[in-house]
Each structure stands twice: as C-alpha cells, then as structure tokens.
Amino acid sequence: MRLTLPKPVEAALSRLENAGFSAYAVGGCVRDHVLGFTPHDYDICTSATPERMQEVFKGERTIETGLKHGTLTVLLFGMPLEITTFRVDGAYSDGRHPDSVRFTARVEDDLSRRDFTINAMAYSPKAGLVDPFGGQEDCRRGVIRCVGNPVERFGEDALRILRALRFSARLGFPVEEATARAIREGRAQLCHVSRERIAAELSGLLQGRDASGVLRQFPEVIEAVLPELQPLTAGEQWETTLRTVDAAPKDLYLRWAAFLRLCGTDAENSGRLALSMLRGLKMSTKIMDTVTELVQWQAADLRPEAMQEMLMRVGPDRLGQLILLRQAMRTAGQKESPDAIARDTEALKEKLKALLAENACYTLRQLTVNGKDMAALGLRGPAIGETLHTLLLQVARGQLPNDREALLDAAKRTP
Ligand code: ATP
Ligand code: MG
C-alpha cells in the first residue's frame, strides 16, 4: 500500500531515517488516508528520543510541546509536525492517565497502546503500512474495535469510551460487539474524565453523520455523563430528539440545541436545564448562550409576518439558526411533507435576508427617535427606555412606520 504524504512529512521521515532512526506517520492521519479522506494534521512517531530529535532538526523552528512525554513539534516548510518517541504506557491507576511512560525502539509496541485498530496503524514510504491489529481490514469493514482487551483498555482510560462513540458517529462505523459491551459495562468509569473532555467528545459525537444512531445505541453512556437527561432518554421524547438531531445541520450549536430541546417540561424549563448542563460541562459562554436561547425560543412564532419582531427579540444570527432548528423539528415531527417544510424554510430565509437588505428596523439604534427626543417630550428616568421599547416593538410589528413624526406623535399618546 502506498500513501501520498505531504512533502514536509516525507522530509521529516527521511531526515530521521538518514540519522539512523525509524520514523512513521501514525494514528489519525494514516486512518484518514486509508479511508480516502484528507487528514487535518499529521503525527509522526520515531525511535529517536527527544534529545536526538532536537539534534536531527537543529536549525528548524521547534516547539517543546511535551518533551517529558517524548513529543517535539517541528515546523517544516511551514507545517507543524508533532513528533513523538515510540512509547508504551505504564500502569493506569486513576482511570485516565498512565502513571509513567517508557520509550521503546519498536513501532509495534507504540501501536499497541493506541485505542482502536483503525487508529493503530503507522506508515512510511520505506516500510509501507505497519498494521499489527488489522486496522486496514476494520477500515474496510467499517468497525470501531479496541486494540487488545476492551475491558482493560477502557479500564485504563475511560475517555476511550467517548472516543469510541465519537469515531462511530463521525465515520458511521458501528462499534464491534465486544467493544460495545465493554463500553456499557465500563461506563461508571467516566467519572474519571474531566468535564471539559466529556464536553469536547460529546460535541464531536453530536456533529457526526450518525450521531442519532450512536445515541440510540448507547443511551446509558449519555446518562452516565449527563444524569439530568435520564427522564428524556427513558421517555417517548427520546426518539423525537434523535430524529431532530439527525435532521439538524452538522453544526455545533444546532446539534446541541436539537439534542437538548426536549430535556425539560417545556421550552423555558428545557432552556434552563440545558444551561445548567452546559455550564456543568464548562462550555464556553458562546455555546451556553446560543444553545440556551435556541432551546428557549424553539416554539417562537416564525411566520414571515412575525420575522421582524423576532429579529428584534433575538437578532439576525440567532434567528437564522432558529429557522434551521425549526426546520429540523418539523422534519422530526414526520407530519408534514419534506417539500412543504423546505418551501417554508426557504421563504423564512428569504424574508430574513430581505429585512436585513432593506435595513428594517429591529434595534433602538435604528429608530428615528432617541432618548433625547423622549426627554424633550417631558419623559424622565426609566420611562424613556420603556417608551422607546414600546415604539420599537410597534415598528417591528408593522403597527407604526419608522417615521419620526409618527413616532413622536405616538410617544406623546403613550401613557
Ligand atoms: P482526529 O482526526 O479527531 O484528530 P485522531 O485519531 O488523530 O483523530 P487524536 O486525539 O488526535 O485523534 O489522537 C491521535 C492518536 O493518538 C489516535 O489516532 C490514537 O492512535 C492515539 N490516541 C489518542 N488518544 C488516545 C487514548 N485516549 N488512548 C489511546 N490512544 C489514543
Ligand atoms: Mg489528531
């Protein structure tokens, strides 16, 4: 098997080899090549220790990423390459990290500590594909399978449970049976994984092409990391949730919103519960705010004639997302024809575009009157803001034109 590696990767491999070491592209990049995808980055492994690597790449820009663990990042022709010494892990006593790592001279040993067969392949132009665990065959058949005994591998590092689900969702590969059983049996170990890592893996899972299939197959894992979702996964809304996730674009915010929209008793309550779960996962403020708002506004009036008011309430970005969430919800509802849903969605997108293009008024800034005008009418304190808001709402609803005279007139009549 021959793979076409980028020039900087080939250069790094041959420089290490010319210095007497063995060196390979390894892990995700080899998997992606074998599957016919373009890798997003390249990891290299080598028999050289970090000190020897530094000699080999003397004169190049290097970043000492994790020398202790054997990793040096080298910038070759502008491409950052993570180069790591072959290593095997010592015992795992915390269910997440090895107590120690030991360097080794054999690539096979390094591959044996990796999580899944599809991730445990190495390649170099000189040696070809090194695949001691049948990774290529599992890529061909499309399965996620642990290297070695799955119960032990998940016992060492429980993060692998979520990685298995993420890869399964992303690639659309089912999890092999013994591995799946070990995932279910080992799920209590997920308490050893940091909330941030759980959040990152769940986000990856949700954006996968088969997110719904994986969620349907492993609800107990979801419950283990988000116990608040137990009523949802056990109830009749779960299938609707999975269909909504399926129908939503593969976008971080929309997939999370689709996933959490029915977690509570109603939209408001679901929004609050979603916020507290996302906060527990230490998500960014942007994710927390966006997802919570989408969940809370999920049932909002989205007819074209209500769009300007919605624009005022949530702003253009959120409204654009809300249109897509609603499309996914209607698709999941399975009561309307796909054509009708597509047509309505298109009309809403067009309406939103038109409102923005014609500079339709949806913020106080765009109103043709301001605080000074209200003060000149004799208003004081909070009454100024309140009156402006009332005027804005009426303009956004089409009940008043955004016309200075008309608004001043209306303000005078406002009690
Ligand atoms: P991605 O495309 O998501 O980056 P990847 O396979 O490159 O996929 P990384 O997290 O970048 O995933 O890890 C690189 C490689 O390191 C993996 O392919 C795997 O061989 C190994 N690996 C990563 N995390 C673990 C782990 N928790 N346990 C065992 N091996 C791991
Ligand atoms: Mg990677």
Side-chain angles (χ1 to χ4, degrees), residues 197-235:
R197 290 311 303 258
I198 290 176
E201 296 299 333
L202 285 181
S203 293
L205 190 174
L206 286 173
Q207 288 171 87
R209 51 188 279 193
D210 191 28
S212 67
V214 171
L215 294 170
R216 184 177 288 112
Q217 212 190 337
F218 297 100
E220 56 279 79
V221 174
I222 301 306
E223 291 163 14
V225 291
L226 292 173
E228 300 93 324
L229 289 184
Q230 209 163 354
L232 176 68
T233 54

Side-chain angles (χ1 to χ4, degrees), residues 289-364:
D289 291 353
T290 308
V291 174
T292 304
E293 274 187 45
L294 288 172
V295 171
Q296 282 181 333
W297 286 102
Q298 64 179 292
D301 182 359
L302 286 192
R303 287 165 308 134
E305 52 272 33
M307 289 294 265
Q308 197 169 341
E309 183 178 342
M310 277 308 293
L311 203 45
M312 180 198 106
R313 299 204 180 277
V314 302
D317 293 348
R318 198 73 70 252
L319 187 51
Q321 292 170 310
L322 205 49
I323 292 170
L324 297 175
L325 176 64
R326 183 64 70 76
Q327 179 180 32
M329 287 164 56
R330 287 174 64 181
T331 304
Q334 296 181 325
K335 290 198 188 86
E336 302 166 274
S337 84
D339 277 355
I341 297 171
R343 217 178 317 114
D344 290 352
T345 304
E346 209 38 53
L348 292 180
K349 285 184 186 169
E350 283 302 319
K351 178 73 188 181
L352 173 58
K353 220 161 85 187
L355 286 171
L356 294 174
E358 74 198 25
N359 196 21
C361 175
Y362 65 92
T363 59
L364 288 176

Side-chain angles (χ1 to χ4, degrees), residues 28-29 31 40-41 43:
C29 65
R31 175 199 68 222
H40 57 82
D41 56 16
D43 295 328

Side-chain angles (χ1 to χ4, degrees), residues 61-94:
R61 260 191 66 195
T62 60
I63 308 157
E64 303 190 357
T65 337
L67 282 192
K68 208 165 55 184
H69 298 100
T71 305
L72 182 73
T73 300
V74 180
L75 232 100
L76 273 190
F77 306 104
M79 186 180 199
L81 297 169
E82 227 177 61
I83 309 183
T84 306
T85 311
F86 298 151
R87 49 171 240 225
V88 285
D89 298 333
Y92 286 74
S93 49
D94 70 351

Side-chain angles (χ1 to χ4, degrees), residues 226 228-229 260 263 272-281:
L226 292 173
E228 300 93 324
L229 289 184
L260 296 179
C263 68
R272 269 201 304 276
L273 193 55
L275 179 60
S276 97
M277 280 187 276
L278 296 170
R279 185 175 289 134
L281 291 171

Side-chain angles (χ1 to χ4, degrees), residues 27-28 31 40 113-115 119 157 160 163 166 170:
R31 175 199 68 222
H40 57 82
R113 72 169 170 91
R114 293 174 183 270
D115 46 10
N119 288 346
D157 176 4
R160 292 171 188 155
R163 285 175 60 87
R166 167 165 65 88
R170 191 213 292 184

